[in-house]
């Protein structure tokens, strides 16, 4: 193979966008109409440019993950409000779920040890980048000496990445739909811990894609049978005929990090 750099008759993209010379300040050059389109945020924010913004959100994360050669991920969904055992919230309901923080942290640690052995390219932990179960996942990955992904989302209330996300794998999204695509595009397994509306939304999105065969089947592991059986009556859905009996096999219950790892290893 010839490693000689290919001759480029035109400047590369970075060189091409640089302003070649200063322009005089005139009514024409100072008017927003004169701005280059890609450098005009007011223009990019227009309603008509929403398809472009969607495409940019999809492409930026995809390009950066590809550059890092990340081939597969293990996705962790779960409640942002679930506290670490040593930092109780003072709310009995949430504090009773704090052991799931511990299990999430340990699961991420165990999976990341494997990821590190494969040069941080396979089975990289991927969370929503926020607090609670998400923090536990990124924290466990960091404790194992590996990398992890955080896919944050712009919300009305203050939202910031937890401190355990690998900095150059900390992404931010405006569009929920694009964020959910990135959760699933490299997923080799999905773990779902107790959570609220967001967790349920992410879980049912994945189940629907697998049920309709828009996505290959992967292990979907629900931590905490007692929690989930109180929240969702899967058997009632099958008995009513709104899902098929075989759809009940799409989810599997686990209680511990070790059990989850074993399920992934033995999944058909």
């Amino acid at each position: 193979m010839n490693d000689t750099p290919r001759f480029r008759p035109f400047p590369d993209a970075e060189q091409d966008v640089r302003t070649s010379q200063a322009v005089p300040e005139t009514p024409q050059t100072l008017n927003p109409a004169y701005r280059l389109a890609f450098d005009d945020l007011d223009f990019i924010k227009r309603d008509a440019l929403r398809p472009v913004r969607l495409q940019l959100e999809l492409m930026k994360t995809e390009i950066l993950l590809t550059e890092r050669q990340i081939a597969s991920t293990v996705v962790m969904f779960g409640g942002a409000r679930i506290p670490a055992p040593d930092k109780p919230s003072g709310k009995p309901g949430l504090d009773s779920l704090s052991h799931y923080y511990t299990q999430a942290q340990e699961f991420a640690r165990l999976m990341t040890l494997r990821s590190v052995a494969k040069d941080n390219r396979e089975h990289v932990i991927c969370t929503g980048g926020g607090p609670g179960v998400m923090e536990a996942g990124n924290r466990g990955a960091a404790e194992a000496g590996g990398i992890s992904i955080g896919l944050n989302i712009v919300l009305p209330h203050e939202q910031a990445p937890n401190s355990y996300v690998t900095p150059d794998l900390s992404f931010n999204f405006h569009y929920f739909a694009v964020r959910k695509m990135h959760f699933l595009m490299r997923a080799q397994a999905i773990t779902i811990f107790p959570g609220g509306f967001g967790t349920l939304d992410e879980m049912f999105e994945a189940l629907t894609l697998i049920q309709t065969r828009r996505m290959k089947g992967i292990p979907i592991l629900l931590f905490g049978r007692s929690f989930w059986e109180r929240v969702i009556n899967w058997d009632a859905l099958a008995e009513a005929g709104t899902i098929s009996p075989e759809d009940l096999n799409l989810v599997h219950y686990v209680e511990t990090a070790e059990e989850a790892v074993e399920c992934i290893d033995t999944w058909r």
Side-chain angles (χ1 to χ4, degrees), residues 81-89 95 98 101-102 105 132 135 139:
R81 303 180 186 187
I82 294 178
D86 60 343
K87 296 180 181 179
S89 67
D95 291 340
S98 65
Y101 183 106
T102 302
Q105 183 177 346
E135 176 188 280
R139 182 177 179 179

Side-chain angles (χ1 to χ4, degrees), residues 184-253:
L184 301 179
M185 285 170 64
R186 288 173 169 78
Q188 294 296 307
I190 297 173
T191 58
I192 306 171
F193 294 79
F197 289 159
T199 301
L200 291 168
D201 175 49
E202 292 155 349
M203 175 176 67
F204 282 115
E205 179 87 16
L207 287 172
T208 300
L209 289 171
I210 293 173
Q211 182 200 47
T212 57
R213 299 185 181 179
R214 298 297 299 271
M215 172 181 168
K216 290 182 179 179
I218 60 175
I220 296 184
L221 310 179
L222 276 59
F223 271 78
R225 178 186 287 269
S226 62
F227 175 87
W228 288 110
E229 286 188 340
R230 291 199 312 272
V231 173
I232 303 169
N233 191 334
W234 303 102
D235 291 330
L237 293 174
E239 291 167 5
T242 55
I243 65 172
S244 301
E246 56 266 27
D247 290 335
L248 297 175
N249 298 323
L250 294 179
V251 298
H252 305 272
Y253 295 111

Side-chain angles (χ1 to χ4, degrees), residues 11-80:
D12 62 30
E14 184 177 357
Q15 294 169 333
D16 196 36
V17 301
R18 288 202 301 247
T19 302
S20 59
Q21 61 183 10
V23 296
E25 292 188 356
T26 68
Q28 291 77 24
T29 63
L30 292 174
N31 193 281
Y34 188 76
R35 296 175 192 159
L36 292 171
F38 64 78
D39 202 30
D40 188 344
L41 289 180
D42 290 333
F43 175 69
I44 291 175
K45 291 176 183 177
R46 289 188 177 198
D47 283 349
L49 271 290
R50 182 173 286 117
V52 175
R53 296 196 298 274
L54 282 160
Q55 184 179 22
L56 287 172
E57 280 208 352
L58 181 64
M59 291 181 65
K60 178 181 179 180
T61 304
E62 175 60 23
I63 288 170
L64 294 179
L65 290 177
T66 299
E67 287 177 350
R68 286 295 299 265
Q69 299 183 322
I70 294 176
S72 67
T73 59
V74 174
V75 177
M76 297 179 67
F77 295 138

